[in-house]
Amino acid sequence: MDRRQFCRSAVAAGVTAAFLPGCGKETPVATQADTGIAAVSLDGMDIELGKAAIKEFGDVMTGPVMLSGHPQYDSARMIWNGMHDKRPALIARCVSAEDVGNAVSFARDNNLLVAVRGGGHSWPGKSVCDGGLMIDLSQMNTVTADRDTRRARAQGGALLNNLDTAALEKGLITTAGVVSHTGCGGYTLGGGFGRLNRKYGLTIDNVTGAQIITADGRIRRISAEAEPDLFWAIRGGGGNFGVVTEFEYRLHPFDRNVLSGNILWPVDQARDVLEFYAEWSAGLSDELYVGPSLARIPEVGDSVIMEVVYNGDPAAGEKELAPLRAIGKPTVDGVTVQDYMIMQTQEDATLAHGVRSYAKNGMVREWSQGLVDAMIDAYDPRVFLTNHVAGGAVKRVGETDTAFPHRNAELMLVFVTGWGDAAMDREMIQATRQQYAALEPYMGGYYDNIEFDGAEAAGNYGPAHRRLSKIKAQYDPGNLFRLNSNIEPAA
Ligand SMILES: Cc1cc2nc3c(=O)[nH]c(=O)nc-3n(C[C@H](O)[C@H](O)[C@H](O)COP(=O)(O)OP(=O)(O)OC[C@H]3O[C@@H](n4cnc5c(N)ncnc54)[C@H](O)[C@@H]3O)c2cc1C
């Protein structure tokens, strides 16, 4: 069946989609519904969207606007975490900055709840909503990298894999997170922790500019020179200030063959390994990224895992790593010179789309015997106790130089559970919270991007919060972008 035929037959079959994919410009197709559709307002009230308004919206969009019943509606509304099963009134699958501007204006003019979907990896499911408009950037996923300027440009819906791949093709790289199907959008706006951050800083420390659509529907290009307050706010302030349709990143020369891999010890050697690490890690170079996890690994058993990436001369890396390798009796030592993308994709399948997942985290300023003891005592094989190493270049950025304030941490402890059966939700959430609670005394502040609950938004922004709320008042006084770690506009 060709495209035109499909469009016609779908309508004839009574599909209740307002506009069919790609049919819009060829054959404007009005909704089959006689009346408007039920929706939810910004402040959660039931409202109705008129048929004419929806049609007008579809007519100005290049990408499709999908309603329930559209053949792609169900796949479009599903995000990474299988815990979230929400049904937006409309999904605007944008293909350009102009589309995003039109979608933002439609939501604002109709007082409609808005969710913004980049890569769809929001743990608490804030990139989808019941009854509102989902602005879907998944088709805006192009990344280009330039060897001469050492810059990458990534569209707002690009994935980290797109970014790493484009940069590596030019012998360059920037900090990107550890699961390659994560979106650049939410990841970057929240901070961006990855395996190169001790050398290059967080991802936000490498953002040199952006194109953003603010609540007034305007397309703005921002940088340290152009609208510097807004540029400051998007580097850590999340999706509060608008929809970013393009990020510009600073890239660094990089040999993709890096000394990297995992070392595993049986969990009964955890004390030796962790006590050693607690002292040794204080003096590590910026090139060495190494941090401990505790987990049950299939076919290996309960383990302490050190994930290693040495961003420099492998011989120097071998030398620096040697004392760690001499501790206890590892069951696996997989550290070798290998392609960087092997590490960058090693968790992709375990943390695949559709898994039900819960996560919490906390920042650790320094290691102590108490922390080591608590990690061992609280071990629970149902929970993946992992980390993002910080320190190095992350720590050398001032607390308020960007909107991400947790600069003085050495490490972020991350508590993640993943399961398939909804009947296990309560048990797995409880197990994660319990382990988190045991280690809470050793942590202060958290990274909002890896947090399911995140109820302390204002306090967690710390010294950045006041400036953020003023900038919010300037660019989003009506708090249109509120499905995020929300910053209320200053009065
Ligand atoms: C499996 C997995 C691995 C992860 N690994 C890491 C890691 O290594 N390092 C790390 O730092 N974090 C990591 N995270 C956390 C990750 O940074 C956040 O989940 C982040 O929100 C993902 O961005 P996204 O675009 O995929 O999310 P989405 O769910 O699409 O968006 C999350 C929120 O970000 C905002 N947003 C997204 N895109 C845009 C945009 N273009 N413009 C404006 N607002 C936007 C919206 O407010 C949205 O609600 C991981 C998450 C998962 C699920």
Side-chain angles (χ1 to χ4, degrees):
M1 186 186 296
D2 71 19
R3 189 158 146 269
R4 195 178 285 268
Q5 236 182 329
F6 168 76
C7 294
R8 276 198 300 265
S9 66
V11 172
V15 172
T16 56
F19 303 96
L20 299 168
C23 304
K25 297 299 157 217
E26 228 173 53
T27 320
V29 182
T31 178
Q32 298 296 292
D34 292 334
T35 60
I37 57 166
V40 170
S41 74
L42 255 188
D43 44 13
M45 307 298 284
D46 290 338
I47 54 173
E48 190 176 291
L49 289 174
K51 181 180 164 184
I54 297 170
K55 174 164 178 1
E56 205 178 303
F57 178 36
D59 285 346
V60 296
M61 294 288 290
T62 304
V65 176
M66 303 178 236
L67 277 68
S68 175
H70 185 286
Q72 287 165 25
Y73 172 85
D74 280 321
S75 59
R77 73 187 176 84
M78 294 320 288
I79 58 169
W80 170 82
N81 191 342
M83 300 262 279
H84 308 296
D85 183 16
K86 296 182 189 159
R87 304 187 65 85
L90 302 153
I91 302 174
R93 182 159 268 179
C94 300
V95 297
S96 64
E98 289 70 24
D99 268 5
V100 174
N102 286 324
V104 166
S105 297
F106 177 77
R108 186 198 57 237
D109 293 348
N110 289 282
N111 192 31
L112 190 59
L113 185 66
V114 189
V116 179
R117 183 207 194 275
H121 278 47
S122 163
W123 245 294
K126 289 181 179 169
S127 40
V128 62
C129 56
D130 278 322
L133 170 67
M134 183 184 195
I135 298 181
D136 174 3
L137 304 176
S138 61
Q139 305 306 297
M140 296 175 64
N141 57 14
T142 302
V143 181
T144 55
D146 187 299
R147 190 176 282 122
D148 298 330
T149 59
R150 292 188 184 166
R151 292 288 186 272
R153 286 173 181 267
Q155 284 187 295
L159 305 183
L160 297 183
N161 199 345
N162 304 130
L163 177 60
D164 274 343
T165 303
L168 285 169
E169 275 171 10
K170 300 288 161 66
L172 300 166
I173 203 71
T174 196
T175 304
V178 305
V179 173
S180 84
H181 45 67
T182 308
C184 292
Y187 164 84
T188 301
L189 294 166
F193 281 78
R195 296 181 173 110
L196 303 178
N197 61 28
R198 284 177 57 81
K199 180 118 175 189
Y200 304 135
L202 298 179
T203 304
I204 47 172
D205 303 332
N206 293 283
V207 172
T208 51
Q211 185 186 63
I212 184 168
I213 319 304
T214 42
D216 55 9
R218 271 184 60 191
I219 302 176
R220 301 168 193 258
R221 190 153 278 283
I222 60 173
S223 65
E225 288 77 38
E227 308 201 54
D229 277 346
L230 183 56
F231 182 60
W232 174 85
I234 65 158
R235 287 174 296 146
N240 271 287
F241 303 93
V243 183
V244 174
T245 44
E246 187 182 274
F247 294 95
E248 186 187 79
Y249 298 102
R250 183 184 301 114
L251 302 177
H252 310 268
F254 185 72
D255 182 346
R256 63 188 299 159
N257 297 306
V258 280
L259 183 72
S260 56
N262 304 294
I263 311 174
L264 278 69
W265 294 259
V267 82
D268 60 14
Q269 295 178 37
R271 182 165 299 284
D272 289 346
V273 175
L274 292 178
E275 284 180 354
F276 171 80
Y277 179 87
E279 268 197 53
W280 173 72
S281 60
L284 295 180
S285 69
D286 289 356
E287 280 73 21
L288 185 54
Y289 181 98
V290 54
S293 303
L294 293 172
R296 176 166 291 172
I297 306 294
E299 290 157 29
V300 178
D302 296 330
S303 303
V304 190
I305 305 139
M306 289 282 178
E307 199 186 278
V308 177
V309 172
Y310 187 81
N311 179 11
D313 172 17
E318 294 275 7
K319 203 169 158 200
E320 191 168 358
L321 201 55
L324 178 67
R325 285 172 136 166
I327 299 297
K329 288 200 174 92
T331 34
V332 177
D333 184 341
V335 176
T336 184
V337 176
Q338 58 181 348
D339 192 284
Y340 178 62
M341 286 310 284
I342 292 176
M343 293 301 283
Q344 288 294 84
T345 54
Q346 72 171 4
E347 321 279 9
D348 281 12
T350 314
L351 291 165
H353 286 86
V355 65
R356 304 178 79 81
S357 185
Y358 181 82
K360 294 192 79 62
N361 75 86
M363 297 291 169
V364 174
R365 299 220 163 87
E366 59 180 358
W367 280 90
S368 63
Q369 187 62 45
L371 173 59
V372 170
D373 294 344
M375 283 173 76
I376 294 166
D377 292 348
Y379 176 65
D380 180 338
R382 293 171 298 179
V383 184
F384 182 29
L385 171 54
T386 184
N387 68 85
H388 276 287
V389 181
V394 179
K395 210 171 173 175
R396 289 194 290 272
V397 175
E399 199 179 27
T400 53
D401 287 357
T402 65
F404 178 81
H406 305 291
R407 293 288 181 169
N408 56 3
E410 284 300 327
L411 188 84
M412 180 204 309
L413 282 176
V414 178
F415 308 79
V416 184
T417 32
W419 63 98
D421 182 354
M424 291 171 69
D425 286 2
R426 189 201 254 280
E427 176 203 330
M428 298 304 272
I429 290 171
Q430 244 173 21
T432 325
R433 286 184 176 154
Q434 207 170 320
Q435 199 188 51
Y436 170 84
L439 297 178
E440 198 175 7
Y442 306 96
M443 303 183 293
Y446 63 87
Y447 176 45
D448 187 70
N449 267 357
I450 306 186
E451 174 63 44
F452 196 101
D453 303 322
E456 305 283 333
N460 196 48
Y461 283 115
H465 185 254
R466 206 155 155 260
R467 184 172 173 197
L468 283 168
S469 65
K470 280 189 180 164
I471 298 169
K472 178 80 172 176
Q474 186 184 345
Y475 288 98
D476 185 15
N479 203 2
L480 181 66
F481 302 108
R482 62 178 61 188
L483 289 182
N484 42 47
S485 182
N486 198 231
I487 295 158
E488 298 221 1

